[in-house]
Amino acid sequence: MVKVNLKAIPYCLSDEDIAWVEQTIAAMTDEEKVGQLFFENRGQSTDEALIELVQKYHIGGYRYNGIKADVVQHNIRVLQENSRIPLFVACNTESGGNGSATDGTYLASGIKIAATDQVKYAYEMGRLGNEEAATMGNNMAFAPVCDIHCNWENTEIVSRAFGSDTDRVAAMSKAYMDGVHAVPGYASVAKHWPGNGQDFRDAHLSNNINNCTREEWMATYGKVYKTLIDGGLDGVMGGHIMLPNYMRELYGTKDEDMMPATLCYELMTDLLRNQLGFNGFVVTDATHMVGFEDRMTRREAVAATINAGCDMFLFFNDPDEDFGFMLDAYRTGVISEERMTDALRRILGLKAKMGLNKKAREELTPPPEALAGVGDKKYTEFAAQVARDAITLVKYKDEGVLPITPEKYRKVMIVYVKGAETGMTQLMKFAFGAGAAKNPAQTLCEMLNARGFEAFVYESPMDKAAKLMKEGKKLDFMDMYRMGKASVAAFQEQQDLVITLFDVSSGRPAFGMSKGGGEIPWYVHDMPTIGISVNAPTMLADVPMLRTYINAYDAKPYTMDALVDKLMTGPEAFTGKDPIDSFCGLWDTRI
């Protein structure tokens, strides 16, 4: 075990602060020690339930997202004023203050920042997003996302990471962290150790594997983490990610013995602390993810995270049960006194570095009037500037299609393509307020019409059939088969331009009809066609025939406005640089 040095980075504590850490640990009961190891998240909750968390379970940290800013601030105040030891209050501000509250400001995704190729924007995202979150009482960012996107089929971090170039990811992750540190008393926790972006699977739902050898890892993910560590990184979030080639090479580990980093001493202690010299604290990723749950019993896994080198455990499954598992492990010596004390020193040491130990309880949360800063104009102006610089013309084979004007293309058909719904996408929509009455296709339609076009949103054959059947009409297979089919000449008469608008948050686009109709752009040589993604940037894999393709990265109003401006100006207006291989490594997407 590598013991913490509270005088070294990232802590740099005075003797007075170190004395507070040691005296606090000495005065703790077993229950209080165990409680400090837990982060929890309850969302909307009663004051009584929150007080129970800090007085019965003695939690060390709390994480917020998915509720309004005034509720976040109120709940944080209840927690801090009723806890004997001040809490970390973390938030997923990887894309802005919306990672703390639903009315916080979305600034940009990681890939959108990367598309600008301007490191200063990563700094500003870290500074502004966490400045806004701090008005609610948050004091810790579970960010930056310093993963490297290497596999186009990886959906977990494709939009969240700063692209696929190691040097850019390192520079932007470091800049984001520096922006966080510009907010007084704020800490930055990088994720997801030892590095996501290679597996096509999602650790929320399955295993996740990083296949780097030791040499490959050191030159890529290791370089990113070392850059952050040397720059004063406060914390690391351990991912439920295996590193099998590394483990086979260095330790001869058998397949059946492979563990995700959160349960692996060799990765969490030997690699992170011994080899890279990380002196800060480690928290697990959420422990209800399948990538964590499928290696051993939960009773065993709760303690194994701490013994592997993690200092904090993210989220109770059942509070009484998980707390009991950890307490039993400590009292029976499964978690040694030495390991427990080291974890507590790292946790309390960071709290001291943040100045939490020197504030009165009522000072730990800003006053209600601080919430006036939520949604400030400076945040939305920054988001709009990023949008203008980020939108990327990835593929442009049909020169002359751009610019679009009402004189050139009066009638514009917009085909709205979504992805298959999963439990995770539905949860994210609910959590972050998606699913508004107006979808991006309708927004684009209105914007184009306001500029003199005659735009309309395509109605799929399946939607037409559903309406007819609702009206009582009986349809057979051939009715369905023929619906939407028309001659090329008739198709050309109906519109002058087609915009296929992809709004796929993860995975693959879901086309309603494979034969006929306008959903799949079979007509790219018969009709001017532009493909635009307002979400995941990897749509070319499924529509390689598209000859003009744009990544806008999101469908915020300012992004859509900038998009229309660029469409009407011409190809030279697109200044974004593709931060990944949006051709998805496929030769036919380039032709």
Side-chain angles (χ1 to χ4, degrees):
M1 186 183 77
V2 183
K3 292 185 178 181
V4 65
N5 181 354
L6 294 179
K7 286 188 174 288
I9 60 170
Y11 307 102
C12 303
L13 296 188
S14 65
D15 290 339
E16 179 186 359
D17 285 330
I18 293 174
W20 175 80
V21 171
E22 298 298 341
Q23 290 164 10
T24 303
I25 294 172
M28 286 172 133
T29 64
D30 288 354
E31 289 80 3
E32 287 175 325
K33 290 179 180 180
V34 164
Q36 279 297 297
L37 307 184
F38 285 98
F39 258 96
E40 179 58 332
N41 178 10
R42 291 284 179 90
Q44 201 89 21
S45 193
T46 64
D47 290 1
E48 291 75 19
L50 294 170
I51 291 170
E52 180 184 52
L53 281 175
V54 293
Q55 294 189 351
K56 178 180 178 182
Y57 302 107
H58 314 285
I59 60 170
Y62 203 90
R63 196 207 74 186
Y64 268 104
N65 65 285
I67 55 180
K68 290 193 67 178
D70 59 342
V71 180
V72 170
Q73 192 194 73
H74 170 79
N75 287 2
I76 292 173
R77 183 174 292 107
V78 171
L79 288 164
Q80 295 285 32
E81 292 184 357
N82 287 279
S83 179
R84 189 174 77 81
I85 299 171
L87 282 83
F88 295 134
V89 186
C91 47
N92 280 347
T93 41
E94 60 191 61
S95 60
N98 66 316
S100 174
T102 53
D103 45 346
T105 308
Y106 167 85
L107 299 176
S109 60
I111 194 171
K112 193 175 185 182
I113 293 288
T116 70
D117 204 29
Q118 298 193 50
V119 173
K120 66 180 182 181
Y121 284 164
Y123 174 89
E124 287 302 305
M125 185 161 74
R127 183 180 71 86
L128 295 173
N130 291 289
E131 175 186 275
E132 186 178 40
T135 68
M136 309 171 207
N138 294 281
N139 56 34
M140 176 177 282
F142 279 170
V145 175
C146 58
D147 298 310
I148 305 172
H149 191 262
C150 308
N151 180 354
W152 74 268
E153 292 185 283
N154 180 292
T155 61
E156 191 174 354
I157 55 92
V158 60
S159 294
R160 301 164 66 193
F162 294 118
S164 57
D165 179 76
T166 295
D167 290 337
R168 184 198 296 113
V169 171
M172 289 191 165
S173 296
K174 168 67 163 54
Y176 179 98
M177 178 186 73
D178 291 342
V180 172
H181 287 159
V183 181
Y186 224 90
S188 177
V189 178
K191 59 189 182 187
H192 305 82
W193 171 268
N196 202 332
Q198 293 202 349
D199 203 338
F200 67 91
R201 294 170 295 185
D202 183 336
H204 292 85
L205 309 172
S206 181
N207 290 334
N208 189 288
I209 293 173
N210 181 319
N211 282 307
C212 283
T213 63
R214 182 183 187 279
E215 183 178 359
E216 290 167 343
W217 189 89
M218 286 295 185
T220 54
Y221 296 92
K223 183 176 183 178
V224 174
Y225 275 99
K226 186 61 174 170
T227 299
L228 292 170
I229 290 167
D230 290 348
L233 179 65
D234 304 295
V236 165
M237 176 176 284
H240 311 309
I241 301 167
M242 299 185 207
L243 203 54
N245 289 329
Y246 177 95
M247 292 294 293
R248 293 184 189 111
E249 182 182 345
L250 268 69
Y251 302 99
T253 307
K254 296 178 181 179
D255 289 355
E256 58 268 27
D257 295 327
M258 291 293 174
M259 292 290 165
T262 40
L263 298 171
C264 182
Y265 181 90
E266 292 83 356
L267 298 180
M268 202 56 72
T269 299
D270 280 352
L271 179 55
L272 178 59
R273 298 207 188 281
N274 288 338
Q275 294 187 51
L276 295 192
F278 181 59
N279 188 44
F281 103 109
V282 175
V283 59
T284 71
D285 204 345
T287 59
H288 51 256
M289 294 165 66
V290 177
F292 173 79
E293 296 273 24
D294 66 352
R295 306 305 296 156
M296 60 184 70
T297 68
R298 189 166 180 90
R299 174 184 286 276
E300 293 170 316
V302 167
T305 60
I306 307 303
N307 287 332
C310 300
D311 305 301
M312 295 191 76
F313 188 91
L314 193 59
F315 306 148
F316 290 126
N317 179 41
D318 176 85
D320 286 331
E321 188 173 63
D322 282 353
F323 188 89
F325 289 160
M326 195 77 82
L327 185 62
D328 287 347
Y330 175 49
R331 285 179 168 169
T332 59
V334 173
I335 299 173
S336 69
E337 191 68 47
E338 183 181 28
R339 175 76 268 264
M340 174 64 79
T341 301
D342 185 70
L344 292 171
R345 282 177 178 146
R346 294 178 189 276
I347 296 164
L348 297 176
L350 184 53
K351 291 181 178 183
K353 178 207 174 179
M354 296 161 67
L356 302 181
N357 60 318
K358 294 180 179 176
K359 291 184 177 181
R361 289 181 182 180
E362 60 272 15
E363 295 175 332
L364 291 166
T365 312
E369 53 266 26
L371 292 175
V374 174
D376 190 273
K377 186 179 179 181
K378 64 182 174 183
Y379 304 137
T380 54
E381 286 178 346
F382 170 75
Q385 181 61 54
V386 171
R388 289 191 291 271
D389 290 348
I391 299 173
T392 308
L393 179 60
V394 174
K395 184 178 181 181
Y396 191 48
K397 290 288 186 178
D398 279 337
E399 293 187 10
V401 170
L402 298 174
I404 69 171
T405 64
E407 295 74 27
K408 189 176 178 183
Y409 307 117
R410 171 68 61 178
K411 293 179 289 184
V412 180
M413 181 172 78
I414 302 169
V415 181
Y416 186 46
V417 179
K418 296 183 289 184
E421 288 287 337
T422 66
M424 185 58 66
T425 56
Q426 291 171 344
L427 178 62
M428 290 301 100
K429 281 184 176 183
F430 181 81
F432 295 107
K438 192 184 298 181
N439 67 44
Q442 293 166 329
T443 298
L444 179 60
C445 184
E446 291 178 6
M447 286 182 169
L448 290 174
N449 287 336
R451 301 197 189 198
F453 294 90
E454 294 175 7
F456 62 96
V457 178
Y458 169 77
E459 184 179 30
S460 74
M462 298 301 290
D463 288 340
K464 289 179 182 178
K467 285 183 180 179
L468 290 171
M469 287 187 285
K470 192 173 181 179
E471 292 169 1
K473 183 174 177 58
K474 292 184 178 180
L475 301 176
D476 60 23
F477 171 78
M478 290 308 297
D479 291 326
M480 295 288 293
Y481 183 80
R482 294 190 188 96
M483 195 170 293
K485 285 184 174 294
S487 68
V488 172
F491 190 77
Q492 290 172 330
E493 288 178 2
Q494 293 169 7
Q495 54 271 321
D496 304 310
L497 170 74
V498 177
I499 294 177
T500 305
L501 194 71
F502 296 94
D503 185 16
V504 180
S505 62
S506 66
R508 314 289 283 276
F511 296 104
M513 288 286 276
S514 62
K515 298 178 179 180
E519 284 166 277
I520 301 175
W522 53 267
Y523 38 77
V524 295
H525 294 285
D526 295 296
M527 170 71 58
T529 307
I530 300 171
I532 301 170
S533 174
V534 295
N535 216 313
T538 52
M539 296 298 101
L540 274 176
D542 285 277
V543 282
M545 73 288 286
L546 280 172
R547 299 177 61 76
T548 300
Y549 174 76
I550 296 163
N551 275 326
Y553 307 106
D554 61 54
K556 299 297 182 183
Y558 44 78
T559 304
M560 300 297 279
D561 194 53
L563 173 65
V564 172
D565 283 344
K566 292 175 187 294
L567 288 170
M568 296 185 69
T569 301
E572 68 279 5
F574 292 84
T575 56
K577 298 179 181 179
D578 190 7
I580 63 168
D581 175 16
S582 292
F583 295 97
C584 304
L586 304 170
W587 65 268
D588 61 324
T589 56
R590 295 180 177 274
I591 60 176

